[in-house]
Amino acid sequence: MKKSADAQYPIIPLIERRWSPRSFLDRAVEPEKLRSCLEAARWAASCFNEQPWRYIVAVSDDEPGFKRLADCLVPGNSWAKQAGVLIISVASMKFAHNGNPNRHAFHDVGLATAHMVLQATELGLSVHQMAGFDRQKAREACSIPDDFDPVAFLAMGYGGEPDQLSDELKKRELAPRVRRSQADFVFNGRWGATLG
């Protein structure tokens, strides 16, 4: 299923094609495609080149590892268990070079994940990012150290058909993609001033 962005200004086709389905085929992701997506994340920019991102990855062929991650999802995101790969993004919350708190870590992890998502789109894969998971359960289940923070959950795989979803999720899957207009989030020199 395709859901292209209705962009108001020209954007690259890769961004136009990217969207977050809830329906996935019961199909494994090829290891080389997964590695390519992780390599794209590796080359993201970061504050002081700290590269504060870490990814805990479980592929569907590894039943114990996949279940460990899947068990961290909230019930409303159980659809993600159909994906070929589950991933938890994690942020290093301290700078390695001086031990100070890194308030930019979440931004940098988001940027690395955006690289991963766009690479996945280029390879014919889909990714759905989620906040709906138990962070403490993930921390314990995956032995995440105290100075690292679980950020988001990702389901990656081959997009499926909306008919395999519940009626509620199918409705959301088929709904048009909407975004705020630039006037709502772009300001000219100060907060609230419209960019001409």
Side-chain angles (χ1 to χ4, degrees):
M1 183 177 153
K2 296 180 181 179
K3 285 177 70 168
S4 294
D6 184 17
Q8 296 174 335
Y9 297 92
I11 57 175
I12 61 173
L14 193 58
I15 294 173
E16 190 176 299
R17 288 194 329 259
R18 187 228 57 85
W19 74 288
S20 303
R22 292 169 186 83
S23 176
F24 287 92
L25 297 176
D26 186 12
R27 176 179 167 191
V29 172
E30 297 86 341
E32 62 275 8
K33 286 189 176 183
L34 174 57
R35 288 294 188 164
S36 183
C37 294
L38 294 165
E39 185 69 9
R42 178 177 174 238
W43 287 99
S46 62
C47 183
F48 287 107
N49 196 27
E50 281 282 321
Q51 304 164 52
W53 48 81
R54 305 295 187 272
Y55 294 99
I56 299 171
V57 179
V59 297
S60 57
D61 292 344
D62 170 17
E63 289 183 25
F66 197 83
K67 183 178 181 336
R68 182 180 311 111
L69 266 63
D71 286 348
C72 298
L73 290 164
V74 298
N77 285 335
S78 60
W79 52 264
K81 296 174 187 178
Q82 285 299 119
V85 181
L86 295 177
I87 302 172
I88 301 174
S89 62
V90 181
S92 173
M93 301 310 295
K94 290 185 179 179
F95 284 115
H97 71 277
N98 63 14
N100 289 336
N102 181 358
R103 73 177 207 88
H104 307 287
F106 276 27
H107 172 276
D108 294 346
V109 171
L111 182 56
T113 300
H115 279 217
M116 181 191 306
V117 169
L118 290 176
Q119 183 68 28
T121 302
E122 177 67 17
L123 297 173
L125 299 169
S126 295
V127 180
H128 191 114
Q129 301 170 68
M130 298 161 275
F133 72 105
D134 186 322
R135 292 174 60 230
Q136 187 57 37
K137 190 171 187 177
R139 179 179 294 286
E140 293 166 6
C142 300
S143 304
I144 298 171
D146 290 341
D147 52 346
F148 287 79
D149 204 357
V151 178
F153 214 100
L154 297 85
M156 176 188 289
Y158 289 94
E161 294 301 321
D163 290 340
Q164 68 191 66
L165 298 168
S166 69
D167 288 342
E168 178 188 339
L169 290 178
K170 180 179 176 181
K171 183 178 177 182
R172 291 168 68 186
E173 195 85 344
L174 295 172
R177 294 175 62 190
V178 294
R179 291 293 187 274
R180 296 176 187 199
S181 72
Q182 288 189 23
D184 291 336
F185 67 89
V186 179
F187 306 131
N188 187 13
R190 64 181 172 81
W191 193 270
T194 303
L195 184 65

